[in-house]
Amino acid sequence: MRERVVILGPPGAGKGTQCKLLAAAGGLLHLSTGDLLRAEVAAESTLGQQVKAVVAQGDLVGDDLVLAIVRNRLGMHQEGWLLDGFPRNSTQAAMLDDLLADLGQPLQVALQLQVSEEELVARLLSRGRSDDSEAVVRKRLQIYARQTEPINAHYQARGLLKCVDGLGSIEEVATRIRNSLDERKHSRETTC
Ligand code: B4P
């Protein structure tokens, strides 16, 4: 059976970086809501025009809009998948539970990448994306602490949460993630 995994963690934790590796190795769909929103902005679509300012300021895009994007993609894909950047708050977590129940595709693991704030700021400022100025990065970290981090408890209560140290080289982190997902197949123990 292919894996169905949510990757959680603050901005700059390396969710996108690690999902690309995992998806390539395991033949999984990598669904990044951030990438999909940036693609809409780049295409200057009607949707892109709506979300451009929101993303540039580091705020979260509306829940219904993001859910519509995820629903479309998952509905077309019955095999394994990695959700990167979604859910981002408790409303999106509840929406995802309902969507996966509708699709008959229960989540197997919510994997949280852990990185110190100092390292996150350094990574994001050196990446230099247009929403990576210091003020916007600090705002995104505050929104993460207020709205996204609390959803770890949602997954912990269901016995689905796994935590992985996101510090170290990209290859070291990838090995830790792989080991954590492999352990998961043999045990339902939550390790955070
Ligand atoms: P995202 O695209 O999700 O961006 P992110 O959290 O900044 O990136 P990520 O954690 O994936 O880090 P990455 O691998 O790139 O969100 C952007 C915006 O989109 C949000 O602010 C919001 O406006 C909107 N949005 C997205 N999803 C939404 C939702 N569900 N609801 C509402 N709004 C939503 O790594 C970062 C950097 O670190 C890279 O330069 C990378 O090379 C480097 N790096 C990675 N691993 C490293 C390692 N081990 N060591 C050193 N550097 C490393």
Side-chain angles (χ1 to χ4, degrees), residues 6-19 22 84 110-116 120 123 144 149 152 161-167 169-170 172-178 180 192:
V6 163
I7 306 286
L8 300 166
K15 302 182 295 291
T17 304
Q18 294 298 331
C19 282
L22 273 174
D84 163 11
L111 192 141
Q112 156 84 5
L113 271 181
Q114 298 181 314
V115 176
S116 66
L120 295 171
R123 284 185 190 179
Y144 172 79
E149 203 168 23
N152 290 347
L161 191 67
K162 284 261 184 193
C163 291
V164 169
D165 180 2
L167 275 182
S169 72
I170 289 171
E172 284 166 348
V173 177
T175 302
R176 281 182 214 136
I177 292 177
R178 195 61 266 161
S180 178
C192 279

Side-chain angles (χ1 to χ4, degrees), residues 11-12 14-17 33 38 59 61 85 88 92 127 140 168:
K15 302 182 295 291
T17 304
T33 45
R38 282 186 289 278
D59 289 319
V61 172
R88 213 62 163 217
Q92 292 184 10
R127 178 173 65 177
R140 284 162 59 203

Side-chain angles (χ1 to χ4, degrees), residues 12-187:
K15 302 182 295 291
T17 304
Q18 294 298 331
C19 282
K20 285 185 187 80
L21 295 175
L22 273 174
L28 304 171
L29 171 73
H30 171 201
L31 208 161
S32 159
T33 45
D35 285 351
L36 292 169
L37 291 168
R38 282 186 289 278
E40 294 290 342
V41 172
E44 299 182 344
S45 64
T46 311
L47 176 60
Q49 286 164 15
Q50 287 171 38
V51 302
K52 187 174 180 179
V54 180
V55 173
Q57 286 166 20
D59 289 319
L60 295 184
V61 172
D63 296 328
D64 290 336
L65 193 152
V66 176
L67 181 75
I69 293 178
V70 174
R71 179 185 289 278
N72 269 344
R73 307 278 165 148
L74 286 191
M76 294 186 300
H77 194 90
Q78 295 302 312
E79 298 293 330
W81 38 254
L82 302 163
L83 288 184
D84 163 11
F86 181 88
R88 213 62 163 217
N89 57 31
S90 55
T91 305
Q92 292 184 10
M95 286 170 150
L96 180 62
D97 288 347
D98 291 346
L99 172 62
L100 296 181
D102 279 357
L103 296 174
Q105 298 187 34
L107 182 68
Q108 293 166 326
V109 183
L111 192 141
Q112 156 84 5
L113 271 181
Q114 298 181 314
V115 176
S116 66
E117 180 161 339
E118 195 185 339
E119 170 75 9
L120 295 171
V121 173
R123 284 185 190 179
L124 292 172
L125 293 185
S126 67
R127 178 173 65 177
R129 209 169 66 194
S130 59
D131 58 338
D132 285 339
S133 69
E134 180 149 9
V136 172
V137 163
R138 298 269 177 210
K139 183 173 183 184
R140 284 162 59 203
L141 288 170
Q142 280 170 8
I143 291 177
Y144 172 79
R146 247 191 349 255
Q147 298 194 38
T148 311
E149 203 168 23
I151 66 178
N152 290 347
H154 177 88
Y155 293 112
Q156 186 141 32
R158 288 161 179 74
L160 294 174
L161 191 67
K162 284 261 184 193
C163 291
V164 169
D165 180 2
L167 275 182
S169 72
I170 289 171
E171 294 71 24
E172 284 166 348
V173 177
T175 302
R176 281 182 214 136
I177 292 177
R178 195 61 266 161
N179 290 343
S180 178
L181 292 177
D182 287 345
E183 279 166 22
R184 171 80 203 176
K185 286 181 190 154
H186 306 295
S187 142

